[in-house]
Amino acid sequence: MTTTSAPSTPHAGNRPGRRALLGIGAQNLSLIGALAVVVAVFGSLDSNFLSPDNLQGIGEAATIAGLLAVVQTVVIICGGLDISVGSQAGLASVVSAMAFTSTGSSAPLGVGAALLVGALVGLLNGAVIIYGRVNPTIATLAGLAAYKGVAQLISNGRAQGYVRNDALFIFLSRGRIAGLPTMIWILVLVAVAVHVLLKYTDIGRNIYAIGGNDTAARLAGINLNKYLVSAYVLSGLVAALAGILLTARTGSGQPVSGSEGLELQSITAAALGGCSLKGGKGGVGGTLLAVALLGALQNGMTGQGINTFWQNVAQGLLLVTAVVIQQRRNRDRAVGLPA
């Protein structure tokens, strides 16, 4: 007896649409959905919300927090945390302006001095964590206070210098390339570079391995100390770049104003974007989507005249929500409850 087999159909997993959805990821799809809802709500409440000028303003405002969120992603994937990035940006902002004015208005020297300070601060964070055997949260929490204090000491707590008559700082703050502001291009370039580093290089694979299981990574011959210190140096450099952009945008070095709260924004964006705070998971794409979501939410709430205190509450709730979702997704045991 012969049987006739039914014509074969492509496996559901091979369908282009399904493959595209799997490539985007459930986390990113949820962020895209949330962003669409936020845009729809505030777009209906305010006719100017979706105007090109306002959208550009959202992008520019999110640039500094976005830079810090991208580099925070690297640190978290590596199994660390950097709570001091906002203070680092404030210190770099002051140094860039003070170096600019003290060297006869030399913008390259101001930028170079800020980047050098950022690298040194990142190196200090990494050294305290690795060689001092201090928990990253405690070490960078100390850095949050210390670097803010240094910035206030060297500036007497006041804005320093004036850079708005310099061509380089003007280009950084108000310049355009192919119709887009320079600041947004800088964020895009940094994000693409970090994405390529994480996804397509051995360095990136080792970073994920360290965050996923540091014992296995060490047994595999990966130098954990070198990678962790390098991650914090990178964090310091990008935080310094954010500080330079802060100086260019405000026209002077800002020891606190403009940089306070950036650490919370960067951690919130990384967590919302899918980074596991235990390390080993995350990516730049999700982080950027979260930065866009936070930027749109903040801009929309400001446009509606909502008190900034409530904006801080909303940001805190988003961070807690992101961590709860991670805990549920990973099926981690709740603290104090039986397994």
Side-chain angles (χ1 to χ4, degrees):
M1 180 177 178
T2 56
T3 58
T4 304
S5 60
S8 61
T9 57
H11 191 274
N14 294 328
R15 293 173 185 167
R18 186 177 178 83
R19 286 202 302 270
L21 291 177
L22 290 173
I24 296 173
Q27 181 79 24
N28 291 349
L29 284 173
S30 64
L31 285 171
I32 292 171
L35 180 59
V37 169
V38 168
V39 169
V41 169
F42 287 118
S44 64
L45 294 174
D46 183 0
S47 59
N48 292 323
F49 182 78
L50 292 175
S51 67
D53 287 343
N54 190 59
L55 293 177
Q56 179 181 301
I58 292 174
E60 291 180 347
T63 296
I64 293 173
L67 285 170
L68 299 180
V70 166
V71 77
Q72 188 79 253
T73 297
V74 178
V75 174
I76 290 175
I77 291 173
C78 210
L81 190 68
D82 195 345
I83 304 176
S84 66
V85 286
S87 294
Q88 292 179 52
L91 176 58
S93 176
V94 169
V95 169
S96 66
M98 293 181 71
F100 171 77
T101 54
S102 64
T103 55
S105 300
S106 173
L109 285 177
V111 169
L115 291 174
L116 177 61
V117 167
L120 291 174
V121 166
L123 181 63
L124 178 60
N125 278 346
V128 169
I129 291 166
I130 297 300
Y131 302 108
R133 299 184 180 182
V134 179
N135 180 280
T137 302
I138 301 301
T140 57
L141 183 61
L144 167 70
Y147 306 142
K148 182 187 295 185
V150 172
Q152 291 172 320
L153 282 171
I154 64 176
S155 66
N156 291 320
R158 299 190 297 270
Q160 295 293 310
Y162 184 79
V163 302
R164 281 186 173 158
N165 56 359
D166 179 81
L168 177 58
F169 283 107
I170 290 173
F171 175 71
L172 290 176
S173 62
R174 299 198 291 272
R176 287 177 175 273
I177 301 173
L180 284 178
T182 306
M183 293 179 67
I184 294 178
W185 278 113
I186 291 173
L187 172 60
V188 170
L189 289 174
V190 170
V192 169
V194 171
H195 175 73
V196 171
L197 175 74
L198 289 174
K199 295 296 184 182
Y200 302 107
T201 69
D202 289 337
I203 293 174
R205 284 185 282 273
N206 290 342
I207 287 173
Y208 279 102
I210 292 170
N213 190 327
D214 58 349
T215 301
R218 184 172 59 251
L219 293 175
I222 299 174
N223 188 329
L224 272 63
N225 291 355
K226 180 179 72 174
Y227 274 91
L228 287 169
V229 171
S230 298
Y232 281 99
V233 170
L234 177 63
S235 178
L237 281 169
V238 176
L241 178 58
I244 293 164
L245 294 182
L246 177 62
T247 299
R249 192 175 181 205
T250 59
S252 58
Q254 300 292 330
V256 176
S257 177
S259 61
E260 196 164 22
L262 288 174
E263 52 283 324
L264 178 59
Q265 291 182 41
S266 69
I267 295 169
T268 302
L272 277 175
C275 284
S276 170
L277 297 181
K278 294 181 178 180
K281 276 185 186 177
V284 172
T287 296
L288 288 180
L289 283 172
V291 168
L293 174 61
L294 291 171
L297 185 64
Q298 184 177 36
N299 180 273
M301 293 175 76
T302 300
Q304 294 302 308
I306 297 174
N307 194 299
T308 55
F309 300 152
W310 283 111
Q311 295 180 31
N312 292 335
V313 171
Q315 188 170 284
L317 289 175
L318 282 173
L319 178 56
V320 171
T321 301
V323 174
V324 168
I325 291 172
Q326 283 183 20
Q327 295 288 96
R328 296 296 183 184
R329 185 173 292 166
N330 297 333
R331 297 182 180 178
D332 290 335
R333 183 176 70 84
V335 176
L337 296 178

